[in-house]
Amino acid sequence: MAGKLFIVPTPVGNLDDMTFRAVQVLKEVDLVLAEDTRTSGILLKHFDIHARLQSHHKFNEHETAELIKERIEAGLNVALISDAGTPGVSDPGFLLVRTCAAEGIEIQTLPGATACIPAIVSSGLPCDRFCFEGFLPVKKGRQTRLKGLAEEPRTMIFYESPYRLVKTLEQFAEVFGSERQCSVAREISKVHEEHRRGTLADVAAWFREHEPKGEIVIVVAGHPKHSGGIPSPDDD
């Protein structure tokens, strides 16, 4: 009998965000695929999980997806985790899920931690309809993608490195307009969590003076004629 593939979210910050079910699944499966076995090893040790770990990341997922599929078909139950958040959301996972789905393998995705949802809910921007853009291309195709989003009516969510945050906000201001409302969430679920809200121009100016650190999520209002209001800039 074929095994199952479990997609298991892991905390983006506070380890207490790990669900009881996620811990139970990781204790019961035959194999855990991890983006970085060193990072995941710390997580598993914290929850007294002794499952076998195997590396599965963006540099080897094309080679390992087929092999893992065959092992599941042979009866192994396999869990996929990433360093933080839900696998497949700007993290490795899509190729393995697609490969297993094409063969009719049962896939169970557990609900759990992700950075984009807390960021948009906390932003004060409309969150009934939104589009997730993840990481923009660093160079080729970046301007084309941004110009294509200039008239987007829905709230937009982006992931970004702290080292590129100011430049990205400046590019957003150039393409979307400097008065477009935004919120930058930093270090979600961690001790130094911060939300900086305001116009793109104001938030960019703030981070030019205050060096950003940690994991970054940028939430940008959709085209003004479709967007609601946002609270005045403040710092949680």
Side-chain angles (χ1 to χ4, degrees), residues 33-197:
L33 304 176
E35 187 176 3
D36 186 324
T37 55
R38 295 166 299 179
T39 300
S40 296
I42 296 171
L43 176 75
L44 268 56
K45 182 178 180 180
H46 180 83
F47 290 105
D48 195 29
I49 297 168
H50 303 284
R52 179 186 171 194
L53 271 175
Q54 180 176 321
S55 178
H56 182 84
H57 48 71
K58 65 180 180 179
F59 300 109
N60 73 357
E61 60 179 337
H62 285 85
E63 291 74 28
T64 60
E66 186 69 24
L67 177 61
I68 296 301
K69 180 211 71 173
E70 293 175 356
R71 299 181 75 176
I72 296 173
E73 288 180 322
L76 261 64
N77 289 313
V78 176
L80 174 66
I81 61 177
S82 62
D83 289 348
T86 300
V89 182
S90 286
D91 277 322
F94 165 70
L95 288 175
L96 179 60
V97 170
R98 181 175 67 179
T99 299
C100 291
E103 297 299 321
I105 291 172
E106 182 176 350
I107 302 165
Q108 292 188 11
T109 300
L110 280 61
T114 184
C116 60
I117 299 302
I120 189 172
V121 172
S122 298
S123 71
L125 291 165
C127 52
D128 55 333
R129 296 177 67 238
F130 59 89
C131 62
F132 176 75
E133 292 295 324
F135 288 98
L136 290 167
V138 176
K139 294 181 180 179
K140 186 177 180 180
R142 187 179 180 91
Q143 284 299 320
T144 300
R145 179 83 64 84
L146 286 176
K147 290 178 181 178
L149 292 170
E151 300 295 320
E152 170 59 56
R154 297 168 295 180
T155 303
M156 298 170 282
I157 304 174
F158 303 88
Y159 286 166
E160 188 52 281
S161 159
Y163 307 108
R164 292 193 296 266
L165 175 61
V166 171
K167 181 178 180 180
T168 295
L169 291 172
E170 291 172 344
Q171 289 177 327
F172 285 178
E174 180 181 346
V175 176
F176 301 150
S178 61
E179 295 303 305
R180 185 79 69 95
Q181 296 287 333
C182 74
S183 173
V184 171
R186 189 179 67 82
E187 294 288 80
I188 288 174
S189 191
K190 298 180 182 178
V191 174
H192 300 292
E193 179 172 343
E194 174 188 29
H195 298 264
R196 178 59 51 177
R197 308 178 182 92

